[in-house]
Structures are given as structure tokens and as C-alpha cells.
Amino acid sequence: MTLTMDGKNTFSNVGANIAAGNLDDAVAEIMAIASSSNDVPTLLSCASILKAIGEGDGFDTVVGKIMDASHGDADGYDTAASLAGLGLHAEALIILDGTGDPDVRPTLYATSLLAVGRADDAVAVLTAAGDLDLDGSIVLSEALCAAGRHGEAISLTESLVADHGGWLAMKAHCGAMMHKGDNRGAFRYARKASKEMGGPDSNALAAYVMRVNGRIPAAAGYAVRALKEDPHHLGALEEMAMCLLEKGEVDKARYFAGTINDVSPGHPATVRILDACPPR
């Protein structure tokens, strides 16, 4: 999902109204565009903008139109990916199952299965897929955790850290430990990484572990450190946004969500932040 203004003239007034803070006018224009279109990419653009500005009722209406327009689409993988990117995993599964061959995109399929509580099915899909990239392996570790197979998840994430290193692998490893209930182990791991490795990845990791355990001031401090070193670090931006939400600073959190989307359009952290924000 790309939460940016469409470059077509159709959306130019919408972008201008959002920039000026005229959100009610922007929503009215988006709904007018959506009501006159059955084009799925256009409707997805409408839904993306409504999601970004927190317009829940209009968003639901547009999603209904997307589902109607996509009914029976045997090549709906991109639509399903866009819906999953908007956090609409049940809808994504309907589209994927409608293709007749959802396993063509195993990580996408497993991500949505996991999101709707079908962890065992997600594990089965990814196991059958064979060689997985880092993203697929992280989804597999999360599915193993959700299925109660913590030992396998921790073993997998240890190998990901060894093979790939970096923020995503370390976050997955600490996440697996905390899911098992080993919060102390995650604390020790994050603190050791911060002291021994330094750098934005380890500080973002410490921010994540601290936040999950309710230590918001400490989490924010680590996130600030990471952002001083790398202002575009996606993990640190997300952690900062989540800390701001804990403090009730919703507008600032939305700003960080926008920054993430500018740095990496369609990144799932954008929707995680927006989903945590109260509706407009």
C-alpha cells in the first residue's frame, strides 16, 4: 500500500486539501471519486488516502466497492497484496482463494492466514514453499510462535541473525523470546547488542523490547538515539511513533507514519501505526 497522493489530476485537489488541513473537503472529494469508479487501482488509491487520514466510515464503503469490483478475479494477486497492505487480511484471503492458486504468493498468503488466526495453515504454506527469503522466514517464525512452537521459532530466528544480521532478524529473535515468555532474555539480548554493536539497528531493537514491556521513556530514548544516527531508520521511526501513541500524541504519531511511507512506500509499519491510532 502506498499512502501518497496519486499523480493523476483526479487526486490533485484532494492532495491540496489535505496539505491545507481541509480534511472534510478531501474526504468528500475522495468519496465522489470512489462513487463514480469501478476501477480497482483507483478505488485502492481512495482507500489508501482515507486510511492515512483516519476516515473509517468512508474507508469501509470504498473497501466494499473494491471487493465487489474484484469478485471472480483469477489474477487478483496484486489486489490481494494491496488489501493486505491496508491491514485487510480477511479480504485479501477472499481474493487469494478466488485465484484458485493462492500458494503462488506464499509469504503474502501466509501473512494473511496468520493475521486471521490460522497459524498452523500459515506454517504449512511456508514450509511447503521451500527456500524462503528473510521476509518469508520472519513470517514463518511469527506463525510458529502463534502455533505454540516457540523452540522452533527461536532456533529459526537465531539462524536468521547469524545469516542476515540487522534490525529485522534481531527483532524477530527478541519477539520469539518474548512470545515464549522470556522477557528477561530479550532484555539481556537487546542491551548486549546496544552495548557491543551500537548503531541504529541495536538501538531500535532496544526501543522495541522496552516498549513491548511498557518501559516507554526508555524506549523513546533508544529510538531517539537510533534516529540521530539514521533519521530514516524504519524500525526507529515506528518505535518512536508507538511511543508517541502511548503518550496520546496521535498527530505526531501520524506524522511518523507519513515519514515511513515517504522513505519506504507501502511499508507495513505505516499501517501498524495507523491501525493503532484512534479514528478521526
Side-chain angles (χ1 to χ4, degrees):
M1 178 196 65
T2 303
L3 295 170
T4 52
M5 297 300 103
D6 191 300
K8 298 177 182 177
N9 291 334
T10 331
F11 288 96
S12 59
N13 288 338
V14 174
N17 275 316
I18 291 174
N22 301 324
L23 297 187
D24 289 339
D25 290 342
V27 169
E29 291 183 61
I30 295 166
M31 296 308 298
I33 293 168
S35 67
S36 63
S37 178
N38 287 314
D39 175 64
V40 171
T42 298
L43 292 170
L44 284 166
S45 293
C46 291
S48 295
I49 299 168
L50 291 167
K51 178 85 171 184
I53 61 180
E55 178 54 40
D57 291 341
F59 176 77
D60 291 341
T61 299
V62 174
V63 170
K65 287 205 68 175
I66 293 168
M67 296 305 293
D68 290 342
S70 302
H71 180 71
D73 185 356
D75 191 29
Y77 300 104
D78 289 341
T79 300
S82 295
L83 290 168
L86 286 165
L88 299 169
H89 293 284
E91 290 82 355
L93 286 174
I94 291 171
I95 302 296
L96 286 169
D97 287 336
T99 67
D101 194 8
D103 291 346
V104 166
R105 300 279 290 272
T107 299
L108 170 62
Y109 192 35
T111 298
S112 291
L113 288 169
L114 177 60
V116 301
R118 294 170 59 184
D120 289 328
D121 290 338
V123 171
V125 166
L126 291 172
T127 301
D131 291 336
L132 298 172
D133 60 11
L134 178 59
D135 289 341
S137 297
I138 288 172
V139 175
L140 176 57
S141 74
E142 294 170 350
L144 287 167
C145 284
R149 296 162 62 175
H150 298 104
E152 293 171 73
I154 290 171
S155 177
L156 172 59
T157 55
E158 284 176 344
S159 68
L160 294 180
V161 172
D163 293 343
H164 298 277
W167 148 252
L168 290 174
M170 293 192 296
K171 179 186 178 185
H173 186 49
C174 284
M177 285 192 283
M178 290 188 290
H179 201 284
K180 185 182 178 182
D182 186 11
N183 289 32
R184 289 185 179 180
F187 271 122
R188 288 193 297 269
Y189 184 93
R191 284 174 171 163
K192 182 178 180 182
S194 183
K195 289 178 181 178
E196 295 184 358
M197 294 173 51
D201 279 355
S202 60
N203 283 319
L205 176 69
Y208 163 68
V209 173
M210 296 294 171
R211 178 183 61 80
V212 170
N213 285 279
R215 300 180 64 172
I216 304 305
Y222 278 110
V224 167
R225 286 189 208 174
L227 291 172
K228 284 181 178 178
E229 297 171 298
D230 180 0
H232 293 157
H233 192 283
L234 297 173
L237 288 167
E238 180 179 7
E239 292 309 315
M240 195 71 242
M242 293 302 191
C243 288
L244 288 166
L245 283 174
E246 291 288 343
K247 296 167 63 178
E249 298 185 45
V250 177
D251 289 342
K252 290 182 180 179
R254 286 188 182 278
Y255 172 82
F256 275 90
T259 301
I260 291 171
N261 195 66
D262 288 343
V263 174
S264 181
H267 195 280
T270 303
V271 167
R272 286 195 291 267
I273 295 165
L274 295 175
D275 280 343
C277 293
R280 189 171 70 90

